[in-house]
Amino acid sequence: MRAISLQSGSNGNCIYVETSGARFLVDAGLSMRETVRRLALVGRTLSDIDALLLTHEHTDHSLSVGGISSRYGIPVYVTAATEEALACRGLGAGIASARRFSPGDCLDFGSVRVETVPTPHDSVDGCAFVIEEGGLRLGILTDLGHVFDGLGTVVRSLDAVFLESNYDPGMLVQGKYPAFLKKRITGPGGHISNEESAGLVAAAGRVFSWVCLAHLSGENNTPDAAVEAHRQIAGPRQDIRVAPRDRIGELLEVVKANRF
Ligand SMILES: [Zn+2]
Ligand SMILES: [Zn+2]
C-alpha cells in the first residue's frame, strides 16, 4: 500500500492511496484540472480511481467532487447529510455516482476494507478513514474537531497515518486571526494542534511506518514548528513527514509499524 498527498491544508485537500486491490482518492479539494495534473506526476489518471472517499462538505475537501463524479463516473462515498450539504452549496448536484454510507460503517472493496470514523469537526457529518489491506492499516485523520474519545484507540491501531497537526498554539494566540476564528480553531469543532497531534503519536506505543503531518495552517504554523513539537513530545524514533500546503508531497510506502 502506498499513498501521496496531492495537497494538504485550507487551500485544498486530496490524498491518493493505492493498494493492490483498489485505488482511492480521499477528498477532492483541488480543481479537477490540478487534480489531473498532480496525479499525472505519479503516472495516474482520474480514470484509474476506483472510489472517491469524501470526509466532509467543506470546500477545501469537496471543490471538484461534482465535476469529477459527472465527468468520470467515479463512485463517490459520502454520507446522506454531507451530500445534502453539498447540494445546498451548489457543489453536490453533480454527484450522479454517490454511494451513501453512515458514519461508523465499514466499506468493502474486495481485498480492501475502509473503516469510517465519525469526527466532531464543525461539518454536518464529518468522517475520517482507515484503509486496510493485508494487515496494513493507513489512517487519514484530519479535520478532527478535538481529541475525541476513541481517537487514540484508532491511532494505536495504525501502521502509518496522515495526521492533522493544524496549529502552533503560541502562533495562533499571537497571530492576526480575528478572535472568533481563533475560538473556532481551538474549539471542539475546529482543528487539533501540533501538541495534541504529537500526544496521540507519543501515546500510540509504536514506531509507525511514517507519520505525515497534514492540514497545517499557513498562518498559525510552520512545517518546522510541527515537526519540532513531534520530536519533543513523541521522541526521535518516529519518521515524521509533512504534507505540503501548495504542492504534491512524497510518495510514501506503508509497512508494518513496530510496537514497543
Ligand atoms: Zn479542511
Ligand atoms: Zn473542515
Side-chain angles (χ1 to χ4, degrees):
M1 189 190 305
R2 51 197 191 150
I4 186 164
S5 163
L6 303 189
Q7 181 164 302
S8 183
S10 52
N11 293 330
N13 295 273
C14 186
I15 292 174
Y16 172 65
V17 180
E18 183 169 296
T19 70
S20 57
R23 291 166 173 170
F24 301 94
L25 278 188
V26 177
D27 289 331
L30 302 177
S31 68
M32 186 154 53
R33 184 183 169 151
E34 205 46 37
T35 309
V36 167
R37 192 182 74 77
R38 295 187 195 194
L39 276 176
L41 297 174
V42 287
R44 298 288 178 263
T45 70
L46 277 172
S47 304
D48 295 323
I49 305 298
D50 297 300
L52 196 167
L53 310 172
L54 197 62
T55 58
H56 64 299
E57 76 277 14
H58 291 164
T59 312
D60 57 320
H61 298 260
S62 65
L63 180 69
S64 60
V65 64
I68 288 175
S69 168
S70 56
R71 175 102 178 249
Y72 292 88
I74 299 167
V76 176
Y77 289 78
V78 59
T79 73
T82 297
E83 191 182 2
E84 202 172 303
L86 283 168
C88 289
R89 291 168 173 226
L91 283 169
I95 308 189
S97 51
R99 306 280 190 277
R100 287 190 178 171
F101 69 88
S102 298
D105 282 357
C106 278
L107 312 175
D108 185 8
F109 299 90
S111 62
V112 187
R113 208 171 89 106
V114 176
E115 294 171 12
T116 70
V117 180
T119 68
H121 187 53
D122 56 2
S123 53
V124 293
D125 214 8
C127 281
F129 298 111
V130 175
I131 298 177
E132 179 178 338
E133 187 188 50
L136 290 176
R137 288 169 60 81
L138 167 64
I140 295 172
L141 309 177
T142 71
D143 301 71
L144 295 171
H146 60 274
V147 180
F148 56 90
D149 282 353
L151 180 58
T153 307
V154 173
V155 174
R156 271 195 294 281
S157 76
L158 301 174
D159 295 293
V161 60
F162 287 95
L163 183 60
E164 176 167 59
S165 194
N166 182 255
Y167 65 94
D168 173 277
M171 287 178 74
L172 181 69
V173 168
Q174 286 161 20
K176 63 184 182 194
Y177 272 14
F180 81 90
L181 202 47
K182 291 180 180 180
K183 202 169 164 190
R184 184 231 155 200
I185 290 167
T186 58
H191 295 281
I192 72 168
S193 70
N194 295 340
E195 282 70 13
E196 289 169 324
S197 172
L200 287 163
V201 174
R206 54 183 49 206
V207 178
F208 292 93
S209 172
W210 43 265
V211 175
C212 187
L213 308 183
H215 216 299
L216 269 66
S217 168
E219 193 67 41
N220 307 306
N221 208 355
T222 64
D224 284 350
V227 170
E228 184 53 28
H230 277 258
R231 292 254 177 280
Q232 295 280 335
I233 295 167
R237 282 195 288 175
Q238 303 288 353
D239 182 3
I240 306 292
R241 312 293 181 101
V242 176
R245 285 177 47 81
D246 55 354
R247 63 195 146 82
I248 192 165
E250 308 162 83
L251 186 60
L252 298 166
E253 185 80 34
V254 180
V255 298
K256 203 75 192 145
N258 291 314
R259 294 184 192 186
F260 58 80

